[in-house]
Amino acid sequence: METGRAHLLDTVYGLGGYALHQVTIWGLIYYAQKSKLKYVSGLHKVNVMALLANAGFIGLHILQTKVAYDGLAQDVHILTSMGSVVIMLIMILLIENQRRGVVFGAKMPFMKEVARALRKYHGYYFSWALIYTFWYHPIEVTSGHLLGTFYTILILLQGSLFFTRTHTNKWWTLAMELLVVVHGTMVAWMVYQGDNPQGGTPAQFFFGFITIFIITQMHGLGLSKLARWGFALLYIGGIVFYYSGRWAEIAEVPRIAVVEYLGLIIIGLIGWLILRIAALFKSLRGNNSATS
């Protein structure tokens, strides 16, 4: 009976904190968009409100962990948390298509309209993915958990800076993307060292995310051709050095990149189809209005 009651309280604390956090940030994003704010170098009042709100809910989640520990993790599958963040990373690739392209600087034209729509509304999905993931994990004092929490908090900070120039600074946003290299590799290493290793190896995550950097992320930064070739040669050299004597494992290098680029094409096509259907209905309504 006590176990069932504890489980219920755990769920209420976690779900309640998550719901309040989510609705608050969605409300602030909606308010900011309706206010038609311009991008500024400093902060709008709504940015200060978002920063304070996130700080308050971070403190609440720390308290919730101490009181009830797990909030969402005990009731939902881990793939819901992991998947939401993977989709967010894929969406970032799509949004940045017009600035840096997808494959060695080459842009995907059919994604231009989809990227424009995502730039306008991505805050709602990104905030859900991050806040849901934040409340999924307890604030555990281990290196892996703390690094993940730190990474999530940094992206919550990025999300709080909407309509500021920092939010769109290419070096800052790249740093937010590349931190997944450190986080993914460290978590994979901790799992791989355990009694029941499962999932990908640390090298798969490290070289997988670096592959995306080489193919996509380093383009659009204004780097010279020499610098880009330098990064590419370091990447190739790192692969040769690590997999020398274990060439049978080299097939793991492109796995993460393949998943992300396939996801990019799928999400891009779904978005394009939705926009086409929306445009068709809009055209039909316009024709009906004209004939009536």
Side-chain angles (χ1 to χ4, degrees):
M1 180 66 70
E2 285 297 317
T3 301
R5 184 178 302 156
H7 178 90
L8 177 61
L9 289 174
D10 206 357
T11 300
V12 169
Y13 288 149
L15 185 59
Y18 157 71
L20 287 173
H21 193 175
Q22 188 68 80
V23 170
T24 299
I25 298 302
W26 272 347
L28 291 174
I29 293 172
Y30 178 80
Y31 171 78
Q33 289 186 331
K34 286 298 181 181
S35 299
K36 300 185 183 301
L37 300 177
K38 303 295 184 181
Y39 280 85
V40 296
S41 299
L43 296 174
H44 296 288
K45 289 182 179 179
V46 70
N47 296 127
V48 177
M49 294 168 65
L51 288 167
L52 291 175
N54 277 320
F57 283 111
I58 288 168
L60 180 62
H61 186 31
I62 293 173
L63 177 63
Q64 178 266 325
T65 299
K66 298 300 180 184
V67 173
Y69 196 69
D70 276 333
L72 302 180
Q74 62 177 345
D75 295 311
V76 294
H77 198 280
I78 189 172
L79 287 180
T80 60
S81 171
M82 186 183 303
S84 66
V85 175
V86 169
I87 292 173
M88 183 188 76
L89 293 174
I90 292 170
M91 285 184 171
I92 292 172
L93 294 178
L94 202 160
I95 290 171
E96 295 282 34
N97 172 58
Q98 289 306 114
R99 181 176 69 84
R100 66 190 183 193
V102 174
V103 180
F104 302 116
K107 299 176 175 61
M108 302 185 73
F110 82 94
M111 291 186 178
K112 184 176 181 179
E113 191 176 356
V114 179
R116 187 184 301 115
L118 280 179
R119 275 194 295 272
K120 183 175 182 180
Y121 298 109
H122 73 277
Y124 294 101
Y125 178 82
F126 283 17
S127 67
W128 170 76
L130 291 168
I131 293 171
Y132 176 76
T133 298
F134 178 67
W135 283 89
Y136 175 89
H137 296 284
I139 308 297
E140 184 64 85
V141 187
T142 67
S143 56
H145 278 87
L146 288 178
L147 179 60
T149 299
F150 175 69
Y151 185 25
T152 305
I153 289 174
L154 279 181
I155 306 181
L156 286 173
L157 169 63
Q158 158 72 352
S160 300
L161 299 177
F162 43 71
F163 292 108
T164 70
R165 303 208 182 280
T166 300
H167 186 77
T168 56
N169 181 280
K170 60 186 179 183
W171 295 103
W172 166 252
T173 55
L174 177 65
M176 295 299 98
E177 287 184 273
L178 288 183
L179 274 173
V180 74
V181 179
V182 181
H183 175 55
T185 303
M186 177 175 282
V187 171
W189 182 81
M190 293 176 65
V191 172
Y192 206 69
Q193 299 302 312
D195 296 329
N196 184 28
Q198 54 186 325
T201 66
Q204 175 180 309
F205 283 88
F206 178 81
F207 287 113
F209 287 118
I210 293 297
T211 298
I212 297 171
F213 171 75
I214 295 298
I215 295 175
T216 302
Q217 293 166 340
M218 73 173 178
H219 305 281
L221 293 173
L223 298 176
S224 67
K225 184 177 292 187
L226 179 62
R228 282 176 281 156
W229 271 108
F231 280 123
L233 290 174
L234 284 173
Y235 165 74
I236 294 170
I239 290 176
V240 172
F241 175 79
Y242 181 82
Y243 288 99
S244 180
R246 56 174 82 181
W247 295 110
E249 301 173 15
I250 199 171
E252 68 184 9
V253 170
R255 287 175 187 165
I256 288 177
V258 168
V259 169
E260 288 211 18
Y261 290 124
L262 282 177
L264 173 67
I265 293 170
I266 292 170
I267 291 174
L269 288 174
I270 291 173
W272 180 86
L273 182 61
I274 290 172
L275 290 175
R276 295 279 68 77
I277 293 173
L280 177 61
F281 276 107
K282 184 177 180 180
S283 176
L284 290 174
R285 285 200 303 268
N287 292 335
N288 290 336
S289 299
T291 56
S292 60

